Amino acid sequence: MGIRPGKIGPMSGPEVIFMRRDGRTQHEGQEKAMRAMDKGVIYVATGPDYRALALQSVRSLRQVEPGLPVDLFTDAPDAVPPGVFDAVHPVENPHRRSKLDCMGQTRFERTLYLDCDTLVTAPLGDLFDLLDRFEMALAHEVRRASDLIREGFEQVTPYAFPQMNSGVLLYRRSDRVLDFLRDWARRFAESGVTRDQVILKDMLWQGDLAFYVLPPEFNLRRLTVLDAWEPEDAIPTILHSHRLMDHMRNGGKQLTQVEDLVEAERTAHREEWADREVGNDPVARFLTPPANR
């Protein structure tokens, strides 16, 4: 059974609470000037664990982009501490992919959506300027040689057109993009699948949306590449790691420091290869099996 999508549209739904940096709150009708802004970031967090991750992520963002507006969509607005987000939007009928219902409700003309399991480590620079040329920007998913990431819902695409990761998504608030987001939410709800990227892959392949593929430093899913990069290869900007959720799945201490996160990724990398009898030569590891195309 599919999940019924909630309302989608700019600023739809119940009253929004705007959070001043001094901790005071103002309701939507009292803060008209904040309703439409040129650019900003949104998070969607339902449940206390994801709200805690969103708070950790936004605090990393504030360190490098202190003046950038940031909104949160959540099922418990009253549980959000004041002074962290600029506005808190209630989520109606929350489900595991509530982000699909919320993206279209952005009040920003140019929006960067971030999953909660992210850390921002460098200023975003001119990232938003991509939307002068493109309608959307996002990065390739990892594990692209796996059937999981090559999967589409109805479409079969070339190996070179894998799923895109929807955890870091830059987009315009235009009629075309809002229609795309609305259709994505509807098709996901009707499909019965559990991964929204399967539907997204089909839509990007079939449609004519002008999208750009971000370089990996703006959605760094494999932190172990930091060990291989040379000094001028890239500026790691947005780290996106499921290791940040390990404490939710397996217990233990929540990872909060980049150094600890990278070490956890290194451990996971070693364990991944330890299960495969291919030796320690990094080149031979990839030349031994036949190409998975």
Side-chain angles (χ1 to χ4, degrees):
M1 178 181 295
I3 302 168
R4 197 166 109 194
K7 298 179 181 179
I8 301 177
M11 299 301 296
S12 64
E15 186 175 43
V16 177
I17 298 176
F18 292 96
M19 312 293 290
R20 295 163 54 111
R21 298 294 175 84
D22 59 9
R24 297 167 58 193
T25 62
Q26 292 179 293
H27 288 272
E28 182 179 348
Q30 299 172 296
E31 195 72 15
K32 296 290 187 183
M34 291 186 68
R35 287 181 62 91
M37 303 187 73
D38 177 54
K39 62 184 179 181
V41 176
I42 68 170
Y43 292 86
V44 179
T46 58
D49 288 334
Y50 285 100
R51 275 193 298 276
L53 283 178
L55 287 168
Q56 177 172 280
S57 180
V58 73
R59 285 168 176 146
S60 72
L61 174 63
R62 292 292 193 203
Q63 290 181 359
V64 295
E65 291 284 357
L68 188 64
V70 187
D71 287 7
L72 173 68
F73 291 79
T74 184
D75 56 333
D78 293 340
V80 180
V84 181
F85 295 94
D86 294 279
V88 178
H89 309 254
V91 173
E92 297 182 81
N93 305 316
H95 56 85
R96 290 185 68 246
R97 289 295 182 266
S98 287
K99 69 181 186 182
L100 301 185
D101 302 338
C102 299
M103 286 182 181
Q105 298 180 35
T106 179
R107 63 189 175 98
F108 306 116
E109 296 301 322
R110 296 181 290 176
T111 300
L112 176 64
Y113 164 82
L114 294 179
D115 267 359
C116 299
D117 56 338
T118 55
L119 293 175
V120 184
T121 55
L124 301 177
D126 54 6
L127 176 64
F128 286 92
D129 292 348
L130 286 173
L131 297 178
D132 294 339
R133 171 64 178 83
F134 300 96
E135 296 174 282
M136 182 178 288
L138 64 177
H140 286 139
E141 183 58 284
V142 294
R143 294 189 181 275
R144 291 183 294 276
S146 70
D147 291 339
L148 180 72
I149 302 306
R150 294 172 60 183
E151 179 188 9
F153 184 61
E154 296 175 336
Q155 301 297 312
V156 177
T157 63
Y159 170 83
F161 195 95
Q163 291 176 19
M164 310 296 285
N165 184 272
S166 62
V168 176
L169 189 66
L170 184 71
Y171 60 98
R172 296 179 191 170
R173 193 180 70 166
S174 65
D175 289 342
R176 273 172 51 87
V177 173
L178 292 178
D179 285 345
F180 182 93
L181 295 173
R182 186 179 297 111
D183 195 33
W184 184 12
R186 178 188 61 79
R187 291 173 64 169
F188 172 75
E190 293 175 353
S191 69
V193 299
T194 58
R195 302 181 66 252
D196 58 86
Q197 293 174 177
V198 174
I199 305 301
L200 178 62
K201 179 173 180 278
D202 277 16
M203 293 178 64
L204 292 174
W205 177 256
Q206 292 174 302
D208 60 356
L209 197 73
F211 70 94
Y212 176 74
V213 179
L214 292 171
E217 58 263 39
F218 289 100
N219 187 356
L220 195 57
R221 302 280 284 116
R222 287 287 179 262
L223 273 59
T224 49
V225 302
L226 296 172
D227 293 324
W229 279 354
E230 295 182 1
E232 296 186 0
D233 279 350
I235 302 172
T237 303
I238 302 172
L239 311 184
H240 182 192
S241 173
H242 289 340
R243 302 281 79 76
L244 290 169
M245 298 190 294
D246 278 352
H247 67 287
M248 297 162 51
R249 299 166 174 171
N250 308 317
K253 182 180 178 181
Q254 180 177 348
L255 294 174
T256 60
Q257 302 300 314
V258 171
E259 295 81 4
D260 294 337
L261 177 60
V262 172
E263 189 53 45
E265 287 277 358
R266 288 172 178 149
T267 299
H269 179 265
R270 289 192 295 268
E271 292 174 350
E272 181 81 14
W273 281 110
D275 292 336
R276 308 184 185 212
E277 297 179 359
V278 292
N280 294 321
D281 185 338
V283 176
R285 287 172 174 176
F286 289 99
L287 295 183
T288 300
N292 185 16
R293 290 181 174 83

